Amino acid sequence: MKELWTESLRVAVLLPCYNEAATIESVVMGFQAAVPGAEIYVYDNNSTDGTALRAMLAGATVLRERRQGKGNVVRRMFADIDADIYLMADGDGTYAPEDADELIRTLLTERADMVVGTRRGVHDDAGRQGHAIGNRLFNTLYRTIFGPDFTDIFSGYRAFSRRFVKSFPAVSGGFEIETEMSVHASRLKLPVAELELDYGRRPEGSHSKLSTFKDGAKILWMFAMLMKETRPFAFFGILAALFMGSSIVFMTPVLISYFETGLVQRMPTWVLSMALMMIAFMLFTAGTILDSVARSRAEQLRIHYLNLHQHSAINPILSRNRQGMERLGSTTNAA
């Protein structure tokens, strides 16, 4: 099947990079060997160590994005590059180029719009213990809020269809971009798949750009914003419940005193409790209205996604693959 998609489909390998001179040459050469015929694009994000030159010498097409942050790079890549299949990886050598064939095959055979290469053993060795704990917490939080579609939302090794890339808004600026991709797929109920792959260690001289607390706070904020945009009833409902609970706490002693004496003896507390209760009702109302707006936006995004046609060569490839499987089954049964 590899020969079929390498001949019929345009494959773009996208490598966002920031100071990856120690590894980018071997990564580019690895993808050239693993995906023959694919165009390798390296997007340099203000590197100061010669990353762009090494990538260019290795045979990649090197472009630049001056806005700092992985999200800004991904937004530029998705806007600039036109292909039938997109393969995104990191330039640090932690993802094996040899797995690219399996990612693309899964994208085609599953007829998926995104295949995520989940990282085997990432919770045991994520560079730092704080990263491993954060991975567990955020993945659990994601499944609680947005659904069980993904088990490793931070993986940077992914294959995409053209429909996904051209319908993805990409508003994030940093490492939260993988979370936004996952929410986009869950929100529109796109066909997705996961493929467990080995996750390598960075070679000597290559360093992680992640900050445990700074980037963790950004991702948590992105969770809140995406929940507000995609599940406003739940988001504002939680806030309404908090304000209502606070109102009841302040209100209870005033009511007890009133039933005992017939007097409102703590008027400021009573006014505060009523104000909190009004805010709770307003938040609940806002959530109800915005939920309808969010549903309408999701419908529009879904229609836009459906209007983006896949490359006409994909269906013949799938048809030929099915025919081959049927012939193989017939031969096996005859034997």
Side-chain angles (χ1 to χ4, degrees), residues 169-189:
V171 298
S172 304
F175 285 101
E176 322 90 87
I177 189 68
E178 283 96 354
T179 304
E180 188 185 352
M181 289 177 181
S182 302
V183 172
H184 178 70
S186 297
R187 181 186 190 186
L188 298 188
K189 297 179 175 59

Side-chain angles (χ1 to χ4, degrees), residues 113 163-164 167 188 190-191 301-308:
D113 283 304
R163 286 197 302 187
F164 183 98
S167 67
L188 298 188
L190 305 183
L301 284 171
R302 178 76 184 180
I303 292 171
H304 174 65
Y305 155 82
L306 292 173
N307 285 331
L308 294 168

Side-chain angles (χ1 to χ4, degrees), residues 51-126:
T51 295
L53 179 60
R54 288 179 179 267
M56 191 179 301
L57 292 175
T61 300
V62 179
L63 302 167
R64 184 181 297 276
E65 171 51 50
R66 296 189 180 278
R67 291 189 180 91
Q68 196 68 39
K70 186 175 182 179
N72 293 318
V73 178
V74 170
R75 179 166 51 251
R76 181 71 177 273
M77 291 191 304
F78 284 5
D80 288 353
I81 307 304
D82 192 36
D84 303 312
I85 295 174
Y86 299 78
L87 190 71
M88 187 178 76
D90 292 338
D92 56 13
T94 53
Y95 298 114
E98 296 78 16
D99 293 325
D101 179 45
E102 192 62 29
L103 279 169
I104 296 173
R105 180 182 289 110
T106 303
L107 186 79
L108 294 174
T109 56
E110 296 291 329
R111 306 194 73 172
D113 283 304
M114 179 171 65
V115 178
V116 180
T118 61
R119 298 166 293 176
R120 186 183 291 117
V122 67
H123 298 316
D124 301 322
D125 180 21

Side-chain angles (χ1 to χ4, degrees), residues 149-169:
D149 290 332
F150 302 100
T151 59
D152 186 7
I153 61 171
F154 298 129
S155 172
Y157 203 7
R158 303 180 182 222
F160 307 96
S161 69
R162 185 177 184 277
R163 286 197 302 187
F164 183 98
V165 167
K166 298 306 180 182
S167 67
F168 178 57

Side-chain angles (χ1 to χ4, degrees), residues 190-251:
L190 305 183
V192 296
E194 289 188 322
L195 188 65
E196 191 175 34
L197 304 173
D198 289 326
Y199 181 65
R201 296 188 179 185
R202 284 175 171 268
E204 186 176 352
S206 178
H207 305 285
S208 173
K209 314 303 187 300
L210 281 171
S211 170
T212 301
F213 296 104
K214 181 180 178 181
D215 288 307
K218 288 182 179 179
I219 292 167
L220 190 61
W221 178 255
M222 175 59 66
F223 267 56
M225 293 300 99
L226 289 172
M227 185 179 180
K228 177 180 72 69
E229 294 297 323
T230 62
R231 300 189 60 199
F233 185 79
F235 180 84
F236 287 99
I238 291 171
L239 292 179
L242 292 174
F243 275 92
M244 183 173 290
S246 301
S247 174
I248 292 172
V249 168
F250 286 112
M251 183 187 301

